[in-house]
Amino acid sequence: MPNPYAEIFRAPGAKGFAAAGFLARMPMAMAPIGIVAMLSQAHGEYWLAGAVSATYALTNALLAPQISRLVDRAGQTRILLPTTLIAVAAFSLLMLAVNQNWPVWTLYVTAFAAALMPSFPAMIRARWSELFRDRPELNTAFAFESAADELVYIAGASLSVGLSVALFPEAGMLASTAALTVGGLAFIAQRGTEPTRSNTGGHTTGSAIRQRPVQIVTLALVFVGTIFATAEVSAVAITEALGEPGAASLVIGVYAAGSFVVGLIMGAMTIRMPMQRQLAIAVGIVAITTIPLLFADTVVSLAFAVFVSGIAISPTFITAFGLIERRVPAALLTEGITWVITGIGIGMALGAFVAGWVVDTFGAQNGFWVSVFAGFLALTTVVLGQQQLSRTIPGSGSPSPQPAQ
């Protein structure tokens, strides 16, 4: 039986842009926590560290879809090169401002400018779509990308903090900026796999967020991102309450591991079911598996419940991006994918905040009620949107509905 992952990398240029893109997306996980680690050590003020990091993260969440919209109109190279260089320069100035103790306002200005960093996960998926549009290999490619995103989130944050603590405050941000520089420029240099202008700059006007499928999927993934972050916050709180704070990293790792493995398996399969139904099933599993979290009262039971809760996260992401590729006009594809990624990020920020408040107010175990509520809202959103998600949009990746999708 042929390896489907080996098959997708036989496409000309696939190995090159995937490798460069993996490196370029590292700041997605490393930069926000790297800013916190850098400033908390250099200034000793967590509120300042959190405020500067939030300035970067929230501004990037707002700007990334707009940058991707320009990419859809003008092409990747023309937009990615200047925005990437600006982000690299801004990150460098931020590190210099911290090291040289420049005025506080310079921290906010440089963090704001660094938020021009484009969404490389969206750019990579746009290239896979260009290679495998209307072909089953695209599902495998999206599965690989979801697994890669999870690896970045698992390893990136730990690497950023670890370097800053072990070496010097700016070490984590320096590694993150180096990854963006090398990976970003290497990705941009590979013009052969860049989506053609006929697929990125067509006659479609307006923003992708006006497309009903983008609205439905993005909203659903805001709630899924909330579940993702709540699991992490609650795991830390519960293991601390149980007197075993060191077990938190193990529990969180198990959460991502379950999703990672199932996602890879799903990418190797050909599922003959409409994608909107696949999404409803995946989100339904996500919602149902949040319930056992409420009853975990030992580290072992918590790890098992978290593992089960995570199994459908990656399939949800894979199917969500597949739906966007098939239901959104090709001229808006990169922006549409970026909105979904932004939705996940907003959900994670929201989940961390709400879960933290619930844990502080009602106790560690009650943080998972946020997961249960968010799971119900995600499922409701997808179920109510089934009819809209089943419609083929003129100019989208799929000319007609396909049962095998």
Side-chain angles (χ1 to χ4, degrees), residues 228-296:
F228 199 60
T230 300
E232 296 180 349
V233 172
S234 297
V236 171
I238 291 175
T239 53
E240 184 175 347
L242 291 172
E244 300 184 58
S249 59
L250 173 63
V251 172
I252 293 171
V254 165
Y255 183 61
S259 177
F260 176 78
V261 171
V262 174
L264 288 178
I265 293 173
M266 180 178 174
M269 299 170 60
T270 300
I271 302 175
R272 300 190 176 278
M273 178 188 297
M275 262 198 167
Q276 67 275 8
R277 293 184 189 173
Q278 292 184 43
L279 182 61
I281 292 172
V283 173
I285 295 172
V286 168
I288 292 171
T289 54
T290 60
I291 297 174
L293 294 169
L294 299 172
F295 305 99

Side-chain angles (χ1 to χ4, degrees), residues 132-220:
F132 299 125
R133 194 176 307 280
D134 301 331
R135 292 169 57 184
E137 290 91 340
L138 186 59
N139 182 67
T140 303
F142 280 175
F144 172 80
E145 290 305 317
S146 293
D149 285 342
E150 293 201 41
L151 279 179
V152 167
Y153 276 116
I154 294 169
S158 299
L159 178 63
S160 187
V161 173
L163 288 172
S164 294
V165 172
L167 301 178
F168 49 89
E170 301 86 2
M173 282 303 301
L174 184 61
S176 173
T177 305
L180 175 62
T181 305
V182 176
L185 294 181
F187 182 86
I188 295 166
Q190 298 178 60
R191 300 291 300 275
T193 51
E194 180 178 351
T196 58
R197 290 291 301 277
S198 61
N199 284 335
T200 59
H203 65 277
T204 303
T205 59
S207 172
I209 198 61
R210 295 184 180 181
Q211 300 287 322
R212 189 67 67 184
V214 177
Q215 295 173 356
I216 294 169
V217 173
T218 299
L219 180 59

Side-chain angles (χ1 to χ4, degrees), residues 12-404:
K15 291 179 181 178
F17 78 72
F22 183 86
L23 198 60
R25 86 180 88 193
M26 289 298 290
M28 179 175 70
M30 295 183 71
I33 192 65
I35 292 173
V36 171
M38 176 175 66
L39 284 171
S40 62
Q41 290 185 80
H43 286 261
E45 297 174 309
Y46 280 94
W47 72 266
L48 177 63
V52 175
S53 180
T55 297
Y56 161 76
L58 293 177
T59 305
N60 182 252
L62 294 173
L63 291 181
Q66 313 313 318
I67 293 170
S68 293
R69 184 179 181 185
L70 292 175
V71 167
D72 281 328
R73 293 181 174 183
Q76 289 191 355
T77 300
R78 290 181 62 185
I79 304 301
L80 295 187
L81 184 58
T83 53
T84 299
L85 291 177
I86 291 172
V88 168
F91 279 131
S92 301
L93 287 173
L94 175 58
M95 288 184 284
L96 187 61
V98 173
N99 184 266
Q100 298 298 311
N101 201 27
W102 288 359
V104 170
W105 65 265
T106 61
L107 305 178
Y108 291 100
V109 171
T110 51
F112 183 86
L116 280 170
M117 184 182 75
S119 175
F120 278 98
M123 307 303 157
I124 300 166
R125 286 176 169 90
R127 294 200 180 199
W128 284 121
S129 295
E130 180 79 359
L131 285 176
F132 299 125
R133 194 176 307 280
D134 301 331
R135 292 169 57 184
E137 290 91 340
L138 186 59
N139 182 67
T140 303
F142 280 175
F144 172 80
E145 290 305 317
S146 293
D149 285 342
E150 293 201 41
L151 279 179
V152 167
Y153 276 116
I154 294 169
S158 299
L159 178 63
S160 187
V161 173
L163 288 172
S164 294
V165 172
L167 301 178
F168 49 89
E170 301 86 2
M173 282 303 301
L174 184 61
S176 173
T177 305
L180 175 62
T181 305
V182 176
L185 294 181
F187 182 86
I188 295 166
Q190 298 178 60
R191 300 291 300 275
T193 51
E194 180 178 351
T196 58
R197 290 291 301 277
S198 61
N199 284 335
T200 59
H203 65 277
T204 303
T205 59
S207 172
I209 198 61
R210 295 184 180 181
Q211 300 287 322
R212 189 67 67 184
V214 177
Q215 295 173 356
I216 294 169
V217 173
T218 299
L219 180 59
L221 290 208
V222 167
F223 298 130
V224 173
T226 300
I227 297 171
F228 199 60
T230 300
E232 296 180 349
V233 172
S234 297
V236 171
I238 291 175
T239 53
E240 184 175 347
L242 291 172
E244 300 184 58
S249 59
L250 173 63
V251 172
I252 293 171
V254 165
Y255 183 61
S259 177
F260 176 78
V261 171
V262 174
L264 288 178
I265 293 173
M266 180 178 174
M269 299 170 60
T270 300
I271 302 175
R272 300 190 176 278
M273 178 188 297
M275 262 198 167
Q276 67 275 8
R277 293 184 189 173
Q278 292 184 43
L279 182 61
I281 292 172
V283 173
I285 295 172
V286 168
I288 292 171
T289 54
T290 60
I291 297 174
L293 294 169
L294 299 172
F295 305 99
D297 55 2
T298 67
V299 171
V300 173
S301 64
L302 177 62
F304 180 75
V306 164
F307 176 83
V308 172
S309 178
I311 60 174
I313 295 291
S314 192
T316 297
F317 291 167
I318 295 166
T319 311
F321 287 118
L323 263 174
I324 294 298
E325 191 275 334
R326 288 168 172 80
R327 298 293 181 259
V328 174
L332 301 175
L333 178 60
T334 309
E335 185 194 352
I337 293 174
T338 305
W339 275 113
V340 174
I341 295 171
T342 296
I344 297 170
I346 291 173
M348 292 181 68
L350 179 65
F353 173 77
V354 175
W357 176 81
V358 171
V359 166
D360 287 340
T361 306
F362 301 104
Q365 189 65 43
N366 289 305
F368 284 124
W369 279 107
V370 179
S371 294
V372 174
F373 188 58
F376 171 77
L377 291 176
L379 180 58
T380 301
T381 301
V382 173
V383 170
L384 293 179
Q386 284 291 290
Q387 184 176 2
Q388 291 288 341
L389 291 175
S390 67
R391 294 177 179 174
T392 300
I393 307 298
S396 64
S398 292
S400 60
Q402 307 253 350

